[in-house]
Amino acid sequence: MIRRMDAKAIIKSQFIRDVPMVAAGCAIAALGIDAFMVPNGLAAGGVTGLATIIAELGSRAGLVLPVGVQTIVFNALLLLLAYRAGGARYALRTVVGFVLLGFFTDAFAPLVAAFVPDDLMLSALWGAIISGLGYGLVFRSGANTGGSDTVAQIISRKTSLPVGSTVMAIDVAVCAASAPVFSVGNALYAALSMVIMGYVVDMVVDGGNRRRAAFIVSENYEAIAQDIMRGMNRGATLIDAHGMWSGQDRPMLFVILGKREVTILKAIVAEHDEHAIMVITDVNEAFGEGFKGLTL
């Protein structure tokens, strides 16, 4: 059942206050697309890549098919199919993202023609970096630009295929489809650009809030927890665990900390128990008291 749109909740949401950042991100991404990607025939996946291919085919037939308008139309059609998956807020965030991106893409196209480099390597690298920075700002602000993600959600609902793998398959297919339209070299550079863009997006979205999570199993958990709370000014959570091999209850500490604090934690644990078991893993984001606020 489709959820009703709560206008008051949307107006009060953090997303509305983040719209200027979403607009800035879309403008930056569009600049990278117009200055480096589209003019050099680099279809780096997604709806924008598909629109780049169609625009080139239209140009050869004497038709003008703006990339930005194409992305808005394609995304609007896809959103109608995927709306049930995320409800009103998902739809709003997606519409704002792809409409602004499409608008800026067509608005900037005639303005950056003089800055287009002829070197495919430079175009692939800088197109990926600038576009990735823009997309990262959009995603970090709670919006998205539709495209492959929306298609992947539709396919995943119908087939149970993983969304992440489906997105990658779609993007690779778009890059491959660009080979007969432009060239194999263009397709390979587009694929390189796609990989770099994904890395830049991840850095922008997660780079400022990446943490470490530590799981500590030790008989001296109380002393370790006290040093963590007093010496590191970090909270610690005690989790009741049970050792299957020993058959004994083994209390386990759970701690979220910054990257630079891992060495301090290791020293604290080693001081109290050299035989303790400690597992440290990456955390993309941490919300709540002492961390980033959890807002909509």
Side-chain angles (χ1 to χ4, degrees):
M1 182 177 179
I2 298 177
R3 285 166 278 182
R4 294 182 179 179
M5 183 176 293
D6 187 343
K8 291 183 179 180
I10 291 173
I11 292 173
K12 294 179 181 179
S13 69
Q14 179 66 36
F15 171 68
I16 293 300
R17 296 190 289 273
D18 286 339
V19 166
M21 182 63 73
V22 175
C26 289
I28 294 172
L31 183 62
I33 292 170
D34 286 333
F36 300 100
M37 310 296 284
V38 174
N40 289 287
L42 298 174
V47 169
T48 302
L50 180 61
T52 301
I53 297 172
I54 294 175
E56 174 63 20
L57 293 174
S59 177
R60 295 177 185 179
L63 300 175
V64 178
L65 300 174
V67 172
V69 172
Q70 287 189 65
T71 59
I72 293 175
V73 173
F74 289 153
N75 278 304
L77 295 175
L78 292 171
L79 187 61
L80 292 176
L81 299 175
Y83 177 71
R84 291 177 181 269
R89 291 194 178 186
Y90 170 82
L92 175 65
R93 296 177 183 215
T94 304
V95 168
V96 170
F98 72 67
V99 168
L100 286 174
L101 179 63
F103 168 76
F104 285 122
T105 298
D106 286 347
F108 290 164
L111 303 178
V112 299
F115 301 100
V116 178
D118 294 328
D119 192 310
L120 281 180
M121 175 62 79
L122 286 177
S123 295
L125 289 176
W126 283 106
I129 293 171
I130 295 175
S131 298
L133 174 61
Y135 286 128
L137 291 175
V138 173
F139 298 152
R140 191 178 181 114
S141 300
N144 66 79
T145 56
S148 302
D149 292 340
T150 306
V151 178
Q153 288 180 8
I154 297 171
I155 295 175
S156 181
R157 286 210 318 269
K158 301 294 184 180
T159 64
S160 298
L161 292 173
V163 174
S165 300
T166 306
V167 170
M168 179 61 70
I170 294 170
D171 289 341
V172 170
V174 172
C175 287
S178 71
V181 177
F182 298 106
S183 71
V184 174
N186 283 62
L188 292 176
Y189 277 118
L192 175 63
S193 184
M194 183 179 67
V195 173
I196 297 173
M197 190 185 305
Y199 178 77
V200 174
V201 168
D202 289 342
M203 290 295 293
V204 174
V205 174
D206 300 328
N209 198 32
R210 293 187 71 89
R211 304 284 178 171
R212 295 287 190 269
F215 299 87
I216 306 164
V217 178
S218 171
E219 295 180 355
N220 299 328
Y221 63 90
E222 292 183 350
I224 294 173
Q226 289 298 320
D227 277 359
I228 291 173
M229 291 186 289
R230 294 177 181 176
M232 298 180 63
N233 196 28
R234 286 287 182 190
T237 300
L238 184 64
I239 301 174
D240 291 330
H242 184 80
M244 296 300 296
W245 180 263
S246 65
Q248 299 178 353
D249 291 334
R250 303 287 297 274
M252 179 172 63
L253 292 174
F254 172 66
V255 184
I256 299 290
L257 65 162
K259 296 179 181 179
R260 298 182 181 181
E261 296 174 308
V262 172
T263 303
I264 300 174
L265 180 63
K266 289 180 179 179
I268 290 174
V269 174
E271 180 181 353
H272 291 286
D273 185 358
E274 293 182 352
H275 302 289
I277 298 173
M278 181 166 64
V279 176
I280 298 175
T281 185
D282 288 329
V283 174
N284 286 337
E285 291 186 282
F287 299 95
E289 185 177 354
F291 299 103
K292 183 179 178 181
L294 184 59
T295 55
L296 298 177

